[in-house]
Amino acid sequence: MPATAMAQERITIFAAASMKDAMDRAAVAFEQETGTEVVVSFAASSALARQIEAGAPADVFISADLEWMDWLAERNLIREESRRPVAANALVIVAAKPVPEGAEPGDILSKGRFAMGDPTHVPAGRYAQAALTSLGLWEEVKEHAVFGENVRVALELAERGEVAAAIVYGSDERASNGLSRVYTFPADRHPPVVYPAAAMANAGPEADAFLDFLSGEEGQRIFRELGFAQPPV
């Protein structure tokens, strides 16, 4: 049988919600290059990891933090040798209305309700809580927070005007409608925002090919164009 006939015709990617725009583009480009269809499911990294543990048929997992990838690794559900960082990000505050120049996060977040990922299980929420705690602001502003089930829900709440601001990733700000970045958290105030990716333990070679694509020149160009940062070496 020809090798092309034996090739897997479809792979399923489970990716953090903040990866939506990048994966939509990467899926199209990879399919055009290889003929393999790419189906992507987006949610909070925690939700996706638990779905994989429960037997969901994923081929590749892309997490918004190291913790949930480690969680799957501890359960022997990923192919460890395939694991790699594919992108990084910044943590920012976005808002529809301008704020005074030089405004600090305490001023921005205490003027009304703001949205962020739920810190009990959403990586973006944990990064946000860590940054605000490091700045001595968490206890002051947490009563104003509205928690979303993933970072894109937080972004949508701000886009719809249901909150005055949202703490999201830099790439989310690039993808937003009518929102502007009003503050960037210093990188040393929260754990590095890194996206590890890995093939599942039972995935075929197409999963590794997709990971190689993301790590390669075209995949990295897609990430850069959408506001992601270079992954750590």
Side-chain angles (χ1 to χ4, degrees), residues 56-166:
D59 296 294
V60 171
F61 176 51
I62 307 174
S63 176
D65 70 356
L66 301 175
E67 182 173 323
W68 286 106
M69 186 64 78
D70 290 342
W71 191 83
L72 288 182
E74 290 165 4
R75 288 156 176 78
N76 298 314
L77 292 171
I78 66 168
R79 201 154 59 233
E80 189 63 46
E81 67 273 15
S82 72
R83 179 174 171 169
R84 74 203 61 188
V86 293
N89 223 326
L91 188 70
V92 306
I93 302 175
V94 295
K97 296 180 180 179
V99 302
E101 187 174 349
E104 292 297 319
D107 300 322
I108 299 167
L109 300 177
S110 60
K111 299 301 184 186
R113 296 194 306 164
F114 71 92
M116 59 181 274
D118 188 333
T120 64
H121 67 278
V122 177
R126 287 206 296 266
Y127 292 131
Q129 182 176 358
L132 293 170
T133 299
S134 176
L135 293 168
L137 296 171
W138 178 244
E139 294 300 324
E140 174 187 336
V141 303
K142 67 179 182 181
E143 65 185 33
H144 299 281
V146 178
F147 298 146
E149 65 188 43
N150 61 59
V151 72
R152 284 299 174 96
V153 170
L155 187 74
E156 290 167 9
L157 289 170
E159 288 177 332
R160 296 200 300 260
E162 296 182 29
V163 295

